[in-house]
Amino acid sequence: MELDQLDRDIIRALVEDARATYAEIGHRVGLSASAVKRRVDRLRETGAITGFTARVEPAALGWTTEAYVELFCAGKTSPSEIGVAVSRLPEVVSACTITGEADALLHIRATDVRHVEKVIERIAAEPFVVRTKSSIVLSRLIETPLVTSRDEPFIGPHNESAFII
Amino acid sequence: MELDQLDRDIIRALVEDARATYAEIGHRVGLSASAVKRRVDRLRETGAITGFTARVEPAALGWTTEAYVELFCAGKTSPSEIGVAVSRLPEVVSACTITGEADALLHIRATDVRHVEKVIERIAAEPFVVRTKSSIVLSRLIETPLVTSRDEPFIGPHNESAFII
DNA sequence: CCTGAAATTCTCTTCAC
DNA sequence: GTGAAGAGAATTTCAGG
């Protein structure tokens, strides 16, 4: 499906504040409230917008430690096998299969380093896991769910910024 | 600050649907709308809830490729130096310093593999970057911003689930 | 700390154009 | 796409538990 600049502007407004009113968004992007609503409804139907969520400070809920864990798996392990296994661990907030030496990369959130260790133990206990390699996060520098245009981004001559919302 | 189970339930409701009405949330958690509003206001003031955002399908905006890039930096590179540099690249959606061999781990979103390559080139051009090691994401298995209780999570005897919202 | 209600204001939603 | 109008929700305030 095709998104025009107005759709992108509306998405950007909703990413910044999902509780903004249609009138507020309309004022910002140059449309009437009803036109904004119609576009938002369409963006949700087509799946461009999948929902609205609260941004929560993990530390406020006790999740003060994060780590990345590389998984090295047995020869014929399928992505879905890994997916099923890591889905059982709520501490795994992100997981994907990747190119390179490791087969998968997990992002885990935990209450402390001891908790990280226990989660890694459980992952390592999966029969298809040959070994793991972990990195504890020292300091978070950037955390955005999406690509957004920040102040004066350096975009080169081949303007990839075409897609930046 | 202290969060009780009602606060966690409200946060969970808002994470699932940030546009739910106070009455809806109240019905779900067993409070009146005005009590919910009072608590949500407090959760925002104390910083537990930092805002409300739209969940967007990156592919709908053209971001179909993602990669993780490990950064190996010169001896005395500070985290903020890395932060400033990667903040200039809108494609970097997440960045942190980590323990282990690499100094930092970046998560980048791009339109295609060629675009990934260009972003890595720009990162590698930073004077403090000694070398990089990249992994392209093959398939995403899990993507949640936060730790949430999923169906029947296996939680061991030392119940870390105390903090799961 | 909660409820429930009333009054005001604002927002959503629909519809004609 | 706009604008208007009725339905519905948010907000604020209050008395009372």
Side-chain angles (χ1 to χ4, degrees):
Chain A
M1 123 154 214
E2 191 81 4
L3 298 187
D4 64 14
Q5 192 53 48
L6 281 168
D7 291 321
R8 293 171 189 284
D9 291 344
I10 290 169
I11 288 172
R12 188 197 297 226
L14 284 171
V15 166
E16 285 174 23
D17 180 10
R19 296 195 74 134
T21 66
Y22 294 126
E24 281 164 2
I25 299 167
H27 182 256
R28 178 167 161 179
V29 307
L31 283 181
S32 66
S34 48
V36 172
K37 182 192 186 306
R38 203 176 309 134
R39 279 174 181 259
V40 172
D41 288 345
R42 190 172 49 88
L43 289 168
R44 298 195 63 172
E45 276 165 22
T46 59
I49 293 175
T50 60
F52 301 100
T53 186
R55 233 182 280 125
V56 173
E57 177 58 44
L61 284 152
W63 306 99
T64 56
T65 309
E66 32 179 344
Y68 286 88
V69 181
E70 291 175 86
L71 250 48
F72 299 79
C73 301
K76 300 183 290 191
T77 311
S78 69
S80 64
E81 198 174 346
I82 302 172
V84 168
V86 298
S87 293
R88 282 196 287 266
L89 302 171
E91 293 89 348
V92 178
V93 294
S94 156
C96 51
T97 55
I98 53 172
T99 63
E101 292 157 51
D103 297 296
L105 180 64
L106 316 182
H107 179 197
I108 79 177
R109 286 202 185 269
T111 55
D112 52 36
V113 175
R114 169 117 185 70
H115 186 182
V116 170
E117 190 180 27
K118 284 191 240 173
V119 175
I120 294 169
E121 261 176 44
R122 283 191 214 128
I123 295 164
E126 292 290 337
F128 61 80
V129 174
V130 174
R131 71 182 179 98
T132 65
K133 185 179 166 189
S134 320
S135 303
I136 299 273
V137 170
L138 295 175
S139 63
R140 183 146 288 284
L141 308 172
I142 294 182
E143 175 91 273
T144 62
L146 209 76
V147 182
T148 53
S149 62
R150 294 198 276 267
D151 297 345
E152 305 178 46
F154 171 69
I155 298 294
H158 310 94
N159 200 357
E160 300 87 351
S161 70
F163 285 107
I164 293 172
I165 66 166
Chain B
M1 124 154 213
E2 192 80 3
L3 299 187
D4 65 14
Q5 192 52 49
L6 281 168
D7 290 321
R8 292 172 189 283
D9 291 345
I10 290 169
I11 289 172
R12 187 197 298 229
L14 284 171
V15 166
E16 284 174 23
D17 180 10
R19 297 194 72 130
T21 66
Y22 294 124
E24 281 164 2
I25 299 167
H27 182 255
R28 177 167 160 180
V29 306
L31 283 181
S32 66
S34 50
V36 172
K37 183 189 186 311
R38 206 176 309 137
R39 280 173 181 259
V40 171
D41 288 344
R42 190 171 49 89
L43 289 168
R44 299 195 64 173
E45 275 165 22
T46 59
I49 294 175
T50 60
F52 301 100
T53 186
R55 232 183 282 126
V56 173
E57 178 58 46
L61 285 152
W63 306 99
T64 56
T65 309
E66 31 179 345
Y68 286 89
V69 181
E70 290 174 87
L71 250 48
F72 299 80
C73 302
K76 301 184 289 192
T77 311
S78 70
S80 65
E81 197 174 347
I82 302 172
V84 168
V86 299
S87 294
R88 281 195 288 265
L89 301 170
E91 293 90 348
V92 178
V93 294
S94 157
C96 51
T97 55
I98 54 173
T99 64
E101 291 157 53
D103 297 297
L105 179 64
L106 315 182
H107 179 197
I108 79 177
R109 287 201 185 270
T111 55
D112 52 37
V113 176
R114 169 118 185 70
H115 186 181
V116 170
E117 189 179 28
K118 283 192 243 175
V119 175
I120 294 169
E121 262 176 46
R122 283 193 214 125
I123 295 165
E126 291 291 337
F128 61 80
V129 174
V130 174
R131 71 182 178 98
T132 64
K133 185 179 164 189
S134 319
S135 302
I136 298 273
V137 171
L138 296 175
S139 64
R140 182 146 288 284
L141 307 172
I142 293 182
E143 175 91 274
T144 61
L146 208 76
V147 182
T148 53
S149 63
R150 295 198 275 269
D151 297 346
E152 304 178 46
F154 171 68
I155 297 294
H158 310 94
N159 201 357
E160 300 87 352
S161 70
F163 285 107
I164 294 173
I165 63 167

